[in-house]
Amino acid sequence: MQPIKRWDYAGEGLVEHELPPAPWELVDHWVQDARARQDDKGDVPEPDAISVATVGGDGQPHVRTVLMRYLAQDGPGFYTNFGSRKGLDLEQNPRIAAALTWPPMYRAIRFTGVAQRLSTQIVTDYFRSRPYGSRIGAWASHQSQPVTTRAQLEAAVASYEEKWPDTGSVEDVPLPDFWGGYVVRCDEVEFWAGRSSRLHDRLVYVRTGDGDLAEPGSWRVERRQP
Ligand SMILES: Cc1cc2nc3c(=O)[nH]c(=O)nc-3n(C[C@H](O)[C@H](O)[C@H](O)COP(=O)(O)O)c2cc1C
């Protein structure tokens, strides 16, 4: 076995008195920091990559990475195919967990809660902002279903390209009714800050009321052991 490479997480940490009364401000701050780092040091190439875990009716968990293409005071969100594994899992069990992890920054945020579909208006606006190829791809891919060959997938792309040619308009490809987005309505938001000797800081906002991530009266903070 190769020797294990270890490095100490010499992060700045996180202390209670720095915390806002609700998690939104810090979520926004850390996400902005990670996005800035993408441009600056370049060691966080995909700051919006988020791991998303779901559990279907059979109790089997599934985790995958998606892009956090939605972030607002009601929670982080992503877009996908409703017929995919994650879509079917969420239909049976809306409970969801998601994690943003930025190792070079010694930071991670974990979200736990319930998935809710984003409105058709939000989804339509986002779908129209995507490049033509991605909009066609959404139609061509029966996400998570088996396919015999890659050529079959490419043939499906070609047939949709013929049906809806690229006119340069955002309306040339309609929104598939099997495609949309979810927002994670959080019950917990954990900020993890890596520190020396594995004595990391974990500060967790736990829901106490019905408000969104920016609502001060809806959260209490708990420190958890690393
Ligand atoms: C960096 C990265 C970003 C991805 N972004 C998305 C995304 O935004 N939406 C999506 O449905 N799949 C995305 N995928 C693909 C998913 O990881 C996954 O393969 C797909 O959604 C099917 O997952 P499922 O079968 O568990 O539903 C991405 C993969 C990677 C590695």
Side-chain angles (χ1 to χ4, degrees):
M1 206 173 88
Q2 286 195 331
I4 296 170
K5 285 186 189 155
R6 299 181 196 275
W7 66 97
D8 203 35
Y9 294 170
E12 294 161 10
L14 193 61
V15 288
E16 281 79 350
H17 69 77
E18 291 173 351
L19 294 182
W24 169 252
E25 213 180 295
L26 198 56
V27 170
D28 188 45
H29 178 173
W30 278 23
V31 169
Q32 297 308 334
D33 274 1
R35 289 176 181 164
R37 180 106 172 194
Q38 176 184 34
D39 302 328
D40 169 22
K41 291 197 176 176
D43 56 2
V44 180
E46 197 64 276
D48 294 325
I50 185 166
S51 305
V52 171
T54 55
V55 179
D58 61 359
Q60 172 65 55
H62 297 102
V63 65
R64 77 290 286 161
T65 306
V66 298
L67 290 178
M68 182 180 67
R69 287 291 191 231
Y70 178 90
L71 180 63
Q73 293 180 358
D74 56 344
F78 57 93
Y79 297 92
T80 195
N81 185 313
F82 291 140
S84 65
R85 162 66 67 189
K86 69 185 93 49
L88 299 180
D89 280 359
L90 291 170
E91 229 167 76
Q92 295 179 311
N93 175 1
R95 299 220 148 267
I96 190 164
L100 291 161
T101 310
W102 305 295
M105 303 176 77
Y106 311 117
R107 280 180 179 173
I109 309 179
R110 294 169 66 181
F111 304 94
T112 310
V114 172
Q116 197 175 67
R117 283 195 186 189
L118 288 167
S119 73
T120 308
Q121 189 57 57
I122 289 175
V123 173
T124 303
D125 288 348
Y126 176 71
F127 188 75
R128 290 179 174 182
S129 77
R130 303 180 86 206
Y132 173 77
S134 306
R135 284 178 284 139
I136 287 289
W139 279 97
S141 169
H142 295 182
Q143 196 178 49
S144 314
Q145 297 297 315
V147 63
T148 313
T149 61
R150 185 174 173 92
Q152 271 181 5
L153 194 58
E154 287 169 0
V157 168
S159 80
Y160 283 112
E161 283 174 346
E162 199 179 304
K163 186 169 181 182
W164 296 307
D166 186 359
T167 64
S169 158
V170 294
E171 288 175 20
D172 50 16
V173 183
L175 173 70
D177 62 2
F178 54 81
W179 196 93
Y182 296 95
V183 55
V184 180
R185 303 297 307 267
C186 301
D187 294 321
E188 279 193 9
V189 181
E190 171 176 333
F191 293 89
W192 181 96
R195 296 191 57 181
S196 230
S197 301
R198 304 293 189 252
L199 287 178
H200 317 301
D201 289 320
R202 297 178 61 195
L203 291 169
V204 186
Y205 286 83
V206 180
R207 177 175 287 289
T208 56
D210 293 335
D212 65 20
L213 296 181
E215 177 63 47
S218 290
W219 303 92
R220 69 178 169 83
V221 174
E222 181 174 290
R223 177 177 282 268
R224 292 194 187 148
Q225 300 187 39

